[in-house]
Amino acid sequence: MPIQLTGVSYRYGQSPALRDIHLVIPEGGLTVLCGVTGSGKSTLLRLLSGLEQPTSGSIDYSHADSSASVSIVFQQPESQLFAGSVRKDVEYGLEQQAVPEPRRSEAADRAMRQAGLDPEQYGQRSPFLLSGGEKRRVCIAGAIAPLPRLLLLDEPTAGLDPPAARALLETAAELKRGGYTIVVATHDLDCFFPLADQVAVLAQGALRYSGPPDGLWKGARVLEDAGLEPPAYIRIGRMLMRQGGLDALPSGAGELLAELDPRSLVYPGSGAGPAAAGGERPSAASLSSTAGGAATDAITAADTDTDSADGSGSAKRQAGLVLRTLDPRVKWLAMALWSLVLLGMKSILPLALTTVLVAVLLACGGITRKRAVWFYRPFLPMFLFLWLLSAFSWSGADGAASFAFSSEGALTGGLAVLRLGLLVSLGFLFTETTSGAPLREGLEWAIAPLGRLGVRTRNWSLAVSVTLQFIPWILGKISALQLALASRGSRKRGLARWTPRQISLMAVPLLLQVIGMGDELSTAIEARGYDPSKPRTPWLVLSWRRKDTAALLLVLLAAALLWWVSGV
Ligand SMILES: Nc1ncnc2c1ncn2[C@@H]1O[C@H](COP(=O)(O)OP(=O)(O)OP(=O)(O)O)[C@@H](O)[C@H]1O
């Protein structure tokens, strides 16, 4: 049964990424999803994989357990590998399906061979020490090992050299012959069009065409209007048809070469060629009525944005803009002062007031609920653990062990955890509303007085700003690794996703990525001739405005008020 998308739309926060997609993906065929950068291809793949849910509309897979039978291979294979050996990585999805040992090993061997990897040669190797093309093959092997009903490949040939790309194409053709339903998001039309049973063209999140590839050449210039170029064999074919050298457009580079072989190529203007009349370029008007039967006409009317900003939305956006454009020195002062006041808070009232203040600022800072959940989720088990630790007491005195709940401990521990959570939230608010350059300039200003005492403050500020930039980067990497686990059949959500096994699986690749990033960063700093003893050109000249003075007064007022309340 085909997969049916009905009126599927998706938004990242306020920005629409996909609009009202109606598409049928034929079973057992290869669908090519094309469009310029940012047109929504990866988003559509993530919706098809079940990793994200459409904001509106529905996807009907026509089989009971849809999520277990879809596998996705992301654009960057590095982010999808996590196990210690290629074999373990490929077997992960099978393990999730509780496939018993001898069958698991056989299935992994078969998948590796199908993906063009010799199990003997690659099985025990570390997936992190392979070339880009090999990594992608490991990802494909891992994705096909559980025999998914639907295989999604995001830019599978990106970054590969021509032989690696050709080998990957052969793998895709082999999988197609094996009956897999495949959707490939790609810019590489030359490679994938000849394999495609269906093409879907996306532009600005809307579907402009879906149907057989040759339908694209009969109708209006859909590809060109979507900002794409037809594959080279079509461009050459059109040129030759205009010169009368071809009767019909070829269906691939191979067919074009086969057609050309027995003919002599004639240059235009040589006078020796056949009349161009037979191969005259058909006008768009004459052909638009003959577009392929299954082809869907372009969706022309641009969607009107249904969520036009209401009053409260625009006020929030305005507040977010003010927070983001505030002088970073105000933010550094606010963070330092409020953190100090927070550390002195011992009772519920001031902590509750600070919680309200931070929550309001987070909401005004334009930080979406999804982003906040993404940030806080890793901290929740730790906070819960710390709180439980303080709420229960254990004593082994007098030979009799006792384990008791202490309400006093629970309250004190709860307040301490809340304090910690608020400190983390201040950091989150600060880094979310301040980009790299102002953050670093503000920090350098804050610690400049120490420079007069002989402290090498530039090294400090560089280290702190890099560390602060690292936090969102590391959280992003954790999310990517979680997605990698989810894409192979482990789709637990919420706290259940953070099992010790999941954490142990993520630890090694995360560490490797952090080390790799640190290495690249230090090389980049060195390559730019960084010398802490030399005066430097500031990245940004800070300028103090009236609104910064007003914000500073509010910061001081809030700090004084909270300090007073904590002392009452
Ligand atoms: N995590 C995100 N948060 C906010 N917006 C996003 C996010 N991911 C993608 N977008 C936006 O959604 C739109 C579609 O992005 P998507 O990654 O699906 O495009 P794409 O066609 O796959 O691009 P590419 O060919 O460059 O991979 C873009 O405008 C992009 O900026």
Side-chain angles (χ1 to χ4, degrees), residues 248-429:
L249 284 171
S251 61
E255 191 183 310
L256 176 66
L257 287 174
E259 281 282 329
L260 290 180
D261 201 29
R263 300 168 190 231
S264 60
L265 282 175
V266 186
Y267 290 99
S270 68
E280 209 170 20
R281 184 196 183 94
S283 75
S286 70
L287 288 178
S288 57
S289 58
T290 62
T296 310
D297 279 340
I299 300 166
T300 45
D303 282 3
T304 46
D305 197 25
T306 45
D307 288 353
S308 59
D310 56 10
S312 71
S314 71
K316 222 168 134 182
R317 260 193 296 282
Q318 196 63 33
L321 196 68
V322 171
L323 266 183
R324 277 163 207 277
T325 52
L326 264 188
D327 190 298
R329 289 168 284 189
V330 180
K331 294 191 220 174
W332 272 114
L333 273 172
M335 203 171 85
L337 256 181
W338 291 354
S339 299
L340 281 176
V341 175
L342 244 176
L343 288 173
M345 288 180 183
K346 299 272 184 291
S347 54
I348 297 177
L349 181 66
L351 281 168
L353 282 177
T354 317
T355 308
V356 172
L357 175 70
V358 171
V360 168
L361 287 174
L362 283 173
C364 290
I367 300 162
T368 60
R369 198 178 322 147
K370 202 171 165 190
R371 177 95 178 145
V373 169
W374 166 82
F375 174 80
Y376 285 108
R377 201 167 45 199
F379 289 103
L380 287 179
M382 183 182 80
F383 288 162
L384 194 66
F385 175 72
L386 288 176
W387 180 66
L388 285 176
L389 209 64
S390 53
F392 289 93
S393 63
W394 184 84
S395 144
D398 308 329
S402 73
F403 185 68
F405 174 77
S406 147
S407 55
E408 199 185 326
L411 181 67
T412 323
L415 292 180
V417 167
L418 183 57
R419 231 177 2 244
L420 182 63
L422 285 169
L423 286 172
V424 169
S425 304
L426 283 178
F428 175 53
L429 177 67

Side-chain angles (χ1 to χ4, degrees), residues 10-18 34-46 52 75 154-155 185-187 202 204-205 370-371:
Y10 188 80
R11 285 173 173 277
Y12 289 102
Q14 288 301 308
S15 30
L18 289 174
C34 56
V36 293
T37 287
S39 56
K41 303 180 296 295
S42 303
T43 307
L44 188 54
L45 289 192
R46 285 162 83 101
E52 306 285 348
Q75 234 178 75
D154 199 352
E155 299 285 0
T186 187
H187 294 282
L202 284 174
Q204 293 168 348
K370 202 171 165 190
R371 177 95 178 145

